[in-house]
Amino acid sequence: MRRSPDELAKMRKAGRVVAEIHEATRAAIRPGVTTAELNEVAAAVLEKRHARSNFLNYNGFPAVICTSPNDMIVHGIPGDVVLHEGDIISVDCGAIVEGYHGDAAYTTGVGAISAEAKRLIEVTERSLWAGIDQLVVGNRLHEVGRAVQRVAEAAGYGVVREYVGHAIGTEMHENPQVPNYWPGTPGPTLKSGMVFAIEPMVNVGTYDTYTLDDGWSVMTADGSLSAHFEHTIAVTDDGPEVFTVL
Ligand code: MG
Ligand code: MG
């Protein structure tokens, strides 16, 4: 779907709120903080900006952010989990402003982290930007996944298959989906006004996953570390415009 300039202006506002949540939660991450406290930080930003959460009550999800440490890939529920020096933590969040959605995620270290964890975070973020670079008018959507996969696999990492990016607008998850790998069939041709959430999930080991008994927390099957980066981006005649940045 192609969004009008008026719709894109609203999505720009929603994206900015998401970026503010990223900034606030990043500043709160330190050894000893709980993931529930990070959720409260995010909720305070949403309230201050008069934005609604698209995460809270999504299929019954009980919080405004997802917090996924170490070998958890995505969808972790904030709670009494305490972050420790050397952990990595993925934070995924969204916002609704005037009926339009933003969605973005990042992974960061808690205090000093291992060289391997640093490399995973750096490669995953770089794979996101390689994907974003493909969001140009006339290109095909599957080139996003190919670019992400090229970066992640060149580093020897596994690209998660079961969870993917998506179009976004008046709903958080719209069609088409955006796999982070070559899906086997070509994607649609990109036109100005299309908006996507691109979100590589990259594991140090294999891409296989399993879900905990809470029905949400998605883990790496081999127990290896996982990182997740996401932005909401519009395809424009001037190239990709990332909405979820300050
Ligand atoms: Mg997200
Ligand atoms: Mg998303």
Side-chain angles (χ1 to χ4, degrees), residues 49-96:
R49 294 298 176 212
H50 308 290
R52 289 197 299 125
S53 174
N54 38 13
F55 280 42
L56 184 64
N57 298 324
Y58 184 89
N59 292 333
F61 191 78
V64 301
I65 63 174
C66 295
T67 49
S68 307
N70 300 322
D71 61 333
M72 193 183 291
I73 301 169
V74 283
H75 302 167
I77 301 171
D80 53 14
V81 172
V82 177
L83 298 183
H84 298 286
E85 177 100 16
D87 286 343
I88 65 171
I89 176 78
S90 299
V91 175
D92 191 358
C93 63
I96 309 171

Side-chain angles (χ1 to χ4, degrees), residues 16-228:
R16 193 173 170 84
V17 173
V18 176
E20 286 184 38
I21 296 172
H22 279 199
E23 185 178 66
T25 53
R26 272 183 186 275
I29 289 171
R30 61 181 186 284
V33 76
T34 67
T35 51
E37 288 169 329
L38 299 179
N39 186 67
E40 286 165 23
V41 166
V45 174
L46 287 166
E47 191 179 341
K48 188 171 76 175
R49 294 298 176 212
H50 308 290
R52 289 197 299 125
S53 174
N54 38 13
F55 280 42
L56 184 64
N57 298 324
Y58 184 89
N59 292 333
F61 191 78
V64 301
I65 63 174
C66 295
T67 49
S68 307
N70 300 322
D71 61 333
M72 193 183 291
I73 301 169
V74 283
H75 302 167
I77 301 171
D80 53 14
V81 172
V82 177
L83 298 183
H84 298 286
E85 177 100 16
D87 286 343
I88 65 171
I89 176 78
S90 299
V91 175
D92 191 358
C93 63
I96 309 171
V97 174
E98 297 171 44
Y100 289 82
H101 290 245
D103 181 14
Y106 67 90
T107 302
T108 191
V110 182
I113 59 172
S114 69
E116 180 177 66
K118 259 186 213 162
R119 179 168 176 264
L120 172 68
I121 291 170
E122 184 270 319
V123 167
T124 307
E125 185 167 21
R126 188 150 49 82
S127 76
L128 168 61
W129 287 101
I132 290 171
D133 283 346
Q134 297 298 320
L135 290 176
V136 292
V137 172
N139 202 3
R140 301 286 289 261
L141 187 59
H142 64 265
E143 294 297 346
V144 171
R146 278 163 46 131
V148 168
Q149 183 174 24
R150 199 175 296 127
V151 171
E153 291 185 353
Y157 294 150
V159 176
V160 172
R161 300 297 201 267
E162 287 153 290
Y163 304 89
V164 296
H166 48 94
I168 181 169
T170 50
E171 302 288 339
M172 179 160 58
H173 295 137
E174 297 185 351
N175 286 323
Q177 294 191 331
V178 187
N180 296 301
Y181 51 91
W182 163 241
T185 51
T189 299
L190 297 172
K191 299 188 172 100
S192 65
M194 291 178 166
V195 187
F196 299 99
I198 306 300
E199 50 177 317
M201 287 146 267
V202 176
N203 303 344
V204 166
T206 67
Y207 56 69
D208 297 313
T209 75
Y210 70 98
T211 304
L212 295 185
D213 288 341
D214 64 17
W216 284 102
S217 309
V218 179
M219 315 294 294
T220 60
D222 60 6
S224 67
L225 292 176
S226 184
H228 180 205

